[in-house]
C-alpha cells in the first residue's frame, strides 16, 4: 500500500490518540509512576484486575489517585460476579453469576443484583464494567462460558442481559456487553486458541445476536468483541479483527440487518492466544482498530509500560505507513474520550440504594434440590470430597470455591479433601475413591463437582463414590447438565461464595445468625 501523506495533524496529536485507545493494566495495588505519566500524555483508560485489589478502601484510594492525574478517566474492571470476580478475588463473590440469575428467571432480581454490584463498583471509583456476558450457552462442552451465561435459550439470555445492563448503568457504571457476536457455541477457549463457529447467518440472527440486540436496545454503553472465527461473516479474520463483524454487523443500521450500535467497541484481551499467537499483539491491535474497534484491551497478562509503548508506537507507525486511516484512529479516540466524559458526569452510585443482601437472596432462589428419598439434614462435622477441574483463565485459580468453608462455619470440624484430574490419572479412579472413603469413615459425605458433564474422570469418580456411599449428597456448582445423583442433589448454578452459602444452609437446614 502506498504511504499516505500526513500534514494536518501533529505528531503529538497522533500519539495522544494512539494512547487514548488503549485500556492497559498494571501490577500492584498502587498506581506506578509510568502509568501516571502516561495519563498526562493522553492515556484515557485503565483496566483493573484481581492483582490490583486488596479491599474497597484501597481500591477507592487507587482510583482517586488515578483521577487526580486525569479527571475524565475510564477505570474498567472485569467484575461479572459469580465465578468471575475481581472485587472479591480471594474470598469469593457476594453475587451469584449469570447462570444462577437465569435459573431464577426474574428480571427484576437480575436488575437489582446488577444495580447493587454497580453501586459497589462506583463507590470504589470504577465506571466501566466488562460485563455482562450475553453469550448463549448453546454448547454444553463450552470450556470458558458455562455458568457465565444466563442460559441456553436466546430469549431468556436477552431479557436478562437487558436487565443487567439497565441495573448496572442505573448505578452510574457503564456496561460492556460481551463477547460479540457470541462465544457460547464453542468447544475451544479463546484464551488458548482460535475458536470457530460454523453456524450460518440465519442461526446467528436467531440465536447469538438476540441478546446483543437487547443490550443495544437497553442502551449498553460498550460492547466487547470476541476472538472467534465465524466463516458466515468472515472466513479469514476473527470477529475482533473483522470489518464485516464490527462495522458491517454491529455498527450497521438495523434496516440493513445490523444492530445499529454507536457506542464504544472494546476488544477482548489482545494477549489471548487466539490473537497473539496468530497475528501478534501489535499487528492484531492495528487490524482491530481498522476493523472498527475503538479500545484495545490489554493487561491481563502483559501489564507493564513496555506493552503500552509497543502498542502506541505500532498504531502511530500504522497511520504513518497508510495501513490505519488517521481518521479511524481519531474517531476511536473520540469515542473513548466521550465515554470518559460521560462517566465523569454520571458520577458515583449514590443514587442506588444499598441492597447488601441481594446476592445471597438470589443465590438461595437459584438453588435447585433433588432428593431420591428422605434426607436427614447434616448436624455434625462431615467429610467433603471436592472434585476440582482446572480453572479457566477468565475465572482464575485465586478465587476459592466449594462448600467446605461454608459447611465448616455451620459445622465446625468439617474436613475436606480435594481431588483433581491429575490425581485421578496418577492413582487411578479406584484408588482415588478408596482414599476418599477411608477418610470419610464415620462421617457423612458431601461430594462437590463442577461441570461434571464435561469431565469424564470426575463423572467416573463420582459414580464409584456413590456406588459405595449412596447416602452421600452431591453439590453441582457448574452447569447442571448431567442427571442429578446422590441421596440429595443440589444445583447451585455457579461457584460464588453466596452459592456455597445457600448450599450449606440447605444441607444443614439452618441459616447462621448474623454474628456467627
Amino acid at each position: 500500500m502506498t504511504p499516505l501523506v500526513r500534514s494536518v495533524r501533529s505528531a503529538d496529536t497522533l500519539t495522544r490518540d494512539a494512547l487514548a485507545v488503549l485500556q492497559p493494566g498494571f501490577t500492584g495495588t498502587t498506581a506506578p509512576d509510568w502509568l501516571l505519566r502516561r495519563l498526562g500524555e493522553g492515556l484515557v483508560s485503565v483496566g483493573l484486575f484481581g492483582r490490583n485489589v486488596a479491599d474497597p478502601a484501597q481500591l477507592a484510594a487507587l482510583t482517586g489517585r488515578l483521577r487526580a492525574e486525569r479527571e475524565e478517566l475510564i477505570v474498567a474492571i472485569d467484575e461479572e460476579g459469580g465465578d468471575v470476580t475481581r472485587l472479591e478475588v480471594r474470598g469469593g463473590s457476594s453475587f451469584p453469576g449469570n447462570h444462577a440469575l437465569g435459573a431464577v428467571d426474574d428480571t427484576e432480581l437480575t436488575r437489582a443484583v446488577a444495580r447493587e454490584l454497580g453501586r459497589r463498583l462506583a463507590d470504589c471509583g470504577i465506571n466501566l464494567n466488562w460485563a455482562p456476558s450475553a453469550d448463549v450457552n448453546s454448547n454444553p462442552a463450552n470450556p470458558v462460558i458455562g455458568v457465565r451465561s444466563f442460559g441456553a435459550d436466546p430469549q431468556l439470555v436477552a431479557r436478562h442481559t437487558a436487565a443487567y445492563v439497565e441495573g448496572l448503568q442505573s448505578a452510574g457504571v457503564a456496561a460492556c456487553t460481551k463477547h460479540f457476536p457470541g462465544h457460547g457455541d464453542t468447544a475451544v477457549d479463546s484464551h488458548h486458541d482460535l475458536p470457530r463457529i460454523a453456524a450460518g447467518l440465519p442461526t446467528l440472527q436467531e440465536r447469538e445476536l438476540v441478546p446483543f440486540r437487547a443490550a443495544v436496545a437497553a442502551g449498553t454503553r460498550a460492547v466487547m468483541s470476541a476472538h472467534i472465527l465465524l466463516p458466515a461473516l468472515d472466513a479469514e479474520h476473527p470477529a475482533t479483527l473483522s470489518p464485516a463483524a464490527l462495522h458491517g454487523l454491529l455498527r450497521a443500521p438495523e434496516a440493513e440487518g445490523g444492530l445499529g450500535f454507536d457506542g464504544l467497541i472494546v476488544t477482548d484481551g489482545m494477549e489471548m492466544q487466539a490473537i497473539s499467537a496468530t497475528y501478534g499483539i501489535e499487528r492484531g491491535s492495528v487490524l482491530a482498530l481498522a476493523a472498527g474497534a475503538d479500545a484495545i484491551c490489554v493487561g491481563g497478562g502483559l501489564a507493564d509500560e513496555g506493552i503500552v509503548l509497543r502498542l502506541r508506537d505500532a498504531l502511530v507507525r500504522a497511520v504513518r505507513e497508510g495501513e490505519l486511516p488517521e481518521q479511524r484512529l481519531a474517531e476511536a479516540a473520540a469515542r473513548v474520550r466521550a465515554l470518559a466524559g460521560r462517566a465523569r458526569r454520571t458520577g458515583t452510585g449514590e443514587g442506588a440504594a444499598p441492597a447488601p443482601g441481594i446476592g445471597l437472596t438470589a443465590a438461595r432462589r437459584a438453588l435447585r434440590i433433588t432428593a431420591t428419598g428422605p434426607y436427614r439434614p447434616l448436624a455434625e462435622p462431615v467429610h467433603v470430597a471436592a472434585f476440582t477441574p482446572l480453572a479457566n483463565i477468565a475465572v482464575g485459580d485465586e478465587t476459592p470455591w466449594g462448600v467446605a468453608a461454608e459447611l465448616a462455619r455451620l459445622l465446625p470440624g468439617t474436613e475436606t479433601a480435594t481431588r483433581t484430574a491429575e490425581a485421578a490419572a496418577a492413582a487411578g479412579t479406584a484408588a482415588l475413591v478408596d482414599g476418599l472413603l477411608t477418610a470419610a469413615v464415620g462421617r457423612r459425605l458431601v461430594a462437590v463437582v463442577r461441570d461434571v458433564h464435561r469431565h469424564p474422570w470426575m463423572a467416573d469418580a463420582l459414580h464409584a463414590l456413590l456406588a459405595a456411599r449412596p447416602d452421600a449428597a452431591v453439590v453441582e456448582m457448574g452447569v447442571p447438565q448431567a442427571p442429578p445423583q446422590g441421596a440429595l442433589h443440589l444445583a447451585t448454578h455457579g461457584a460464588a461464595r453466596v452459592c456455597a452459602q445457600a448450599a450449606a444452609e440447605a444441607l444443614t437446614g439452618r441459616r447462621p445468625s448474623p454474628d456467627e
Side-chain angles (χ1 to χ4, degrees), residues 105-501:
D105 196 13
D106 178 346
T107 53
E108 284 303 316
L109 178 66
T110 295
R111 190 174 288 107
V113 167
R115 183 184 300 115
E116 173 62 13
L117 179 59
R119 186 190 67 80
R120 296 190 195 184
L121 291 172
D123 282 352
C124 293
I126 294 163
N127 52 16
L128 174 64
N129 190 8
W130 293 318
S133 168
D135 306 295
V136 179
N137 197 49
S138 54
N139 187 341
N142 196 308
V144 68
I145 301 300
V147 294
R148 300 169 66 196
S149 167
F150 289 110
D153 175 55
Q155 296 299 331
L156 179 145
V157 176
R159 59 180 174 265
H160 287 278
T161 296
Y164 195 107
V165 167
E166 292 163 356
L168 189 66
Q169 294 188 164
S170 71
V173 176
C176 183
T177 305
K178 62 189 182 186
H179 306 82
F180 182 84
H183 207 310
D185 188 19
T186 68
V188 173
D189 184 346
S190 52
H191 290 91
H192 302 296
D193 207 344
L194 178 61
R196 176 189 177 98
I197 294 181
L201 281 175
T203 299
L204 293 177
Q205 293 285 359
E206 296 168 6
R207 188 177 64 188
E208 273 76 13
L209 296 180
V210 173
F212 289 97
R213 290 187 187 280
V216 172
T220 186
R221 305 271 192 266
V223 169
M224 177 176 283
S225 66
H227 305 329
I228 54 176
L229 188 67
L230 296 100
L233 286 176
D234 189 324
E236 182 180 356
H237 299 105
T240 294
L241 313 183
S242 171
L246 301 187
H247 181 73
L249 183 59
L250 184 53
R251 292 276 190 226
E254 292 184 69
E256 299 175 13
L259 276 67
F261 179 64
D262 62 0
L264 190 75
I265 298 178
V266 183
T267 73
D268 207 344
M270 296 300 286
E271 62 266 61
M272 293 164 64
Q273 292 296 300
I275 298 296
S276 61
T278 305
Y279 298 89
I281 294 176
E282 292 96 330
R283 172 78 175 153
S285 296
V286 170
L287 291 174
L289 264 292
D294 303 306
I296 302 297
C297 179
V298 67
L302 299 172
D304 57 20
E305 184 176 22
I307 189 63
V308 173
L309 299 181
R310 279 170 57 192
L311 294 183
R312 178 201 67 183
D313 294 347
L315 295 174
V316 169
R317 185 168 56 251
V319 170
R320 288 175 174 161
E321 294 177 355
E323 187 178 7
L324 175 64
E326 185 173 333
Q327 184 55 38
R328 172 77 273 273
L329 178 62
E331 175 190 58
R335 273 207 182 90
V336 175
R337 294 185 187 112
L339 182 59
R342 181 171 188 166
R344 177 194 172 200
R345 292 190 296 275
T346 301
T348 67
E350 294 174 356
I358 192 68
L360 180 55
T361 296
R364 286 168 175 161
R365 289 182 62 187
L367 193 65
R368 298 292 179 266
I369 303 174
T370 304
T372 58
Y375 187 83
R376 180 168 46 87
L378 303 177
E380 297 176 347
V382 299
H383 188 83
V384 179
F387 297 100
T388 304
L390 181 67
N392 67 60
I393 292 176
V395 174
D397 56 10
E398 285 183 277
T399 306
W401 74 283
V403 299
E406 294 299 328
L407 278 176
R409 287 177 59 215
L410 299 175
L411 304 172
T414 288
E415 299 173 347
T416 184
T418 299
R419 295 295 182 267
T420 63
E422 291 78 7
T429 300
L432 181 144
V433 171
D434 284 345
L436 289 172
L437 292 171
T438 299
V441 167
R443 292 192 174 209
R444 296 180 68 184
L445 183 61
V446 176
V448 185
V449 295
R450 195 169 178 175
D451 291 340
V452 69
H453 68 283
R454 290 199 304 109
H455 304 286
W457 72 269
M458 189 185 298
D460 291 345
L462 180 62
H463 179 76
L465 187 68
L466 292 175
R469 290 287 302 268
D471 61 321
V474 176
V475 182
E476 167 62 87
M477 305 195 78
V479 177
Q481 188 77 22
Q485 301 177 72
L488 189 73
H489 183 276
L490 280 66
T492 62
H493 299 89
R497 176 175 52 81
V498 286
C499 294
Q501 185 173 342

